[in-house]
Amino acid sequence: PIGIRGCYDESKRFGEAMTMAYYRTHDLDTHILRIFNTYGSRMRPGDGRVIPAFFMQALQDAPITVFGDGSQTRSFQYINDLIRGILLLMESDEHLPVNIGNSTESTVLELAGAVIELTGSSSKIVNRPLPPDDPKIRRPDITKAREILGWEPRVGLQEGLRLTVDWFKSQVADGNGV
Ligand code: UDP
């Protein structure tokens, strides 16, 4: 509770505790979906997350800021897959938590390379200090979503990035660059 991301961690735990209390005590039809790293059009260009950061940097030929050595992994889910998962879970009888995310891992360095290639950028990668508490691996176990909802991701990283690049181009054109 007192870690550097304590407010964030505890808010998630509290949210799930409250939801189960409403389910059990007030008989509400609740569902708990654990969202893993998601991206797509309409993200705020300066929200600090890695995909907006890399796209905005690449499209402006600015240095790509890789934190640490870039060997940490994330599993990036395209927004349409998440929304399909939300709708399926809402219509299901499952009331306990279900992970919805993409289980294919990429390193941050691989992501940087993919963004540079897709945008045709002349940006160079620069390394910056790794933030405290930055997980080395983050990958959802989506077995439950597969079994209960028949859900699994359909959009891979390369395709999802292709579907997203125009949004960030429009942000650069509108002068929202960061
Ligand atoms: N990251 C990075 N450069 C950036 C922003 C983020 O290398 O400009 C890294 C960050 O250290 C983390 C990964 O990208 O290892 C994903 O970060 P994000 O904040 O998007 O998601 P989270 O850490 O919450 O999974």
Side-chain angles (χ1 to χ4, degrees):
I2 57 169
I4 196 133
R5 287 157 72 119
C7 288
Y8 175 66
D9 299 339
E10 292 306 316
S11 69
K12 287 191 184 183
R13 195 145 53 196
F14 181 72
E16 293 190 4
M18 287 299 285
T19 303
M20 288 313 292
Y22 271 86
Y23 172 67
R24 293 189 179 110
T25 307
H26 299 293
D27 206 22
L28 277 189
D29 180 20
T30 63
H31 303 276
I32 298 176
L33 189 145
R34 291 186 179 159
I35 301 175
F36 285 70
N37 299 54
T38 304
Y39 67 96
S41 298
R42 306 191 64 169
M43 291 179 94
R44 283 178 299 139
D47 79 359
R49 284 182 288 170
V50 68
I51 288 186
F54 285 1
F55 264 127
M56 294 304 286
Q57 291 163 346
L59 291 168
Q60 296 172 102
D61 293 317
I64 305 279
T65 53
V66 167
F67 297 165
D69 64 4
S71 65
Q72 68 273 33
T73 70
R74 292 294 183 276
S75 318
F76 299 103
Q77 154 172 251
Y78 185 62
I79 183 68
N80 289 21
D81 283 329
L82 169 63
I83 290 171
R84 196 164 36 82
I86 292 173
L87 295 175
L88 283 167
L89 183 62
M90 282 171 63
E91 286 163 6
S92 79
D93 294 327
E94 181 60 40
H95 299 284
L96 296 176
V98 178
N99 292 342
I100 297 288
N102 198 307
S103 56
T104 306
E105 276 176 277
S106 312
T107 67
V108 166
L109 210 52
E110 285 166 350
L111 174 70
V115 170
I116 290 172
E117 195 182 320
L118 176 63
T119 53
S121 173
S122 61
S123 293
K124 297 279 170 280
I125 289 172
V126 295
N127 294 97
R128 295 275 181 265
L130 196 64
D133 278 12
D134 198 278
K136 188 78 189 143
I137 296 177
R138 177 171 282 157
R139 177 174 181 269
D141 179 344
I142 54 174
T143 312
K144 196 169 167 185
R146 279 203 176 96
E147 287 175 355
I148 292 180
L149 307 176
W151 174 93
E152 61 182 6
R154 290 178 183 160
V155 182
L157 183 60
Q158 302 291 339
E159 184 188 354
L161 293 176
R162 272 199 301 279
L163 293 167
T164 307
V165 63
D166 282 349
W167 163 252
F168 289 108
K169 282 185 183 165
S170 77
Q171 293 306 290
V172 173
D174 289 352
N176 298 333
V178 283

